[in-house]
């Protein structure tokens, strides 16, 4: 299997817009930049936005820059990454995670091993679920007015990005909660190609477990 990383210029994560604790907006702009600079298809057809969360809103991820621990573990309420899968290539999918200390980008298999650590035994309430949304649909429908980052008195829990909030093409101002809401009951019962094709064409994409994640990217049309 050839490696897509050999086809790409060396990437420095600091070249991309990044505001701590606003990972959904960071990934939105990351995908846009990858489309604009030719690393990805101009329409984003080879990009997928992946939300990671669960019912408890406590998901452990390793090798995170925000961690003060040697193993880099952070217990996020949710996290967002980009996965690139070239349709007409046997190259392994790539993960673009601006908050990770791993190579940027990283092959999906190694990212799962190092960041998700599926062999690590977790209590059921900490299991991670993944909502995969096709980037063209994300560009069209996603919106965030950053209300989730405000205290009851209106102050910010973390300084917001310097640019204006993202508004959906239909004028919706905020729907982030729809993307991060996920549980085991939402996961696909089957990864047969027809089921995956229909699910990934939806606004909110498809939800899978960590055991289904890599297989899903194999089955994508």
């Amino acid at each position: 299997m050839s490696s897509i990383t050999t086809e790409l210029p060396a990437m420095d994560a600091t070249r991309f817009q990044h505001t701590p604790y606003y990972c959904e907006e960071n990934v939105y702009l990351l995908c846009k930049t990858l489309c604009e600079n030719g690393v990805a298809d101009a329409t984003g057809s080879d990009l997928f936005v992946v939300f990671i969360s669960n019912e408890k809103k406590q998901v452990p991820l390793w090798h995170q820059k925000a961690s003060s621990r040697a193993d880099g573990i952070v217990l996020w309420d949710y996290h967002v990454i980009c996965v690139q899968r070239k349709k007409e290539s046997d190259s392994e999918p790539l993960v673009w995670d601006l908050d990770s200390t791993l190579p940027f980008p990283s092959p999906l298999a190694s990212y799962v091993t190092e960041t998700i650590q599926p062999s690590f035994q977790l209590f059921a309430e900490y299991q991670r679920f993944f909502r995969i949304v096709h980037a063209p649909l994300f560009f069209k429908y996603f919106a965030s007015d950053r209300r989730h980052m405000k205290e009851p008195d209106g102050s910010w829990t973390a300084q917001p990005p310097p640019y204006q909030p993202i508004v959906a093409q239909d004028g919706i101002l905020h729907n982030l909660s729809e993307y991060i809401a996920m549980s085991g009951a939402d996961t696909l019962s089957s990864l047969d190609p027809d089921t995956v094709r229909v699910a990934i064409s939806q606004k909110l994409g498809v939800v899978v477990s960590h055991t289904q994640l890599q297989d899903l990217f194999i089955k994508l049309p």
Side-chain angles (χ1 to χ4, degrees), residues 158-169:
Q159 191 63 28
Y163 51 84
Q164 291 298 308
I166 297 168
V167 178
Q169 289 183 17

Side-chain angles (χ1 to χ4, degrees), residues 157-210:
T157 59
Q159 191 63 28
Y163 51 84
Q164 291 298 308
I166 297 168
V167 178
Q169 289 183 17
D170 59 6
I172 294 295
L173 299 179
H174 190 82
N175 55 21
L176 172 62
S177 57
E178 297 178 34
Y179 289 90
I180 63 177
M182 63 190 87
S183 68
D186 300 318
T187 60
L188 281 185
S189 58
S190 169
L191 291 184
D192 73 83
D194 287 340
T195 301
V196 171
R197 177 179 51 79
V198 171
I200 204 65
S201 67
Q202 305 301 309
K203 165 188 169 183
L204 295 175
V206 56
V207 177
V208 297
S209 67
H210 75 268

Side-chain angles (χ1 to χ4, degrees), residues 9-14 16 30 95-100 102-106:
M11 287 288 167
D12 179 358
T14 62
F16 295 86
L30 167 69
V95 175
W96 302 83
D97 183 355
L98 289 164
D99 295 290
S100 175
L102 297 176
F104 183 79
S106 286

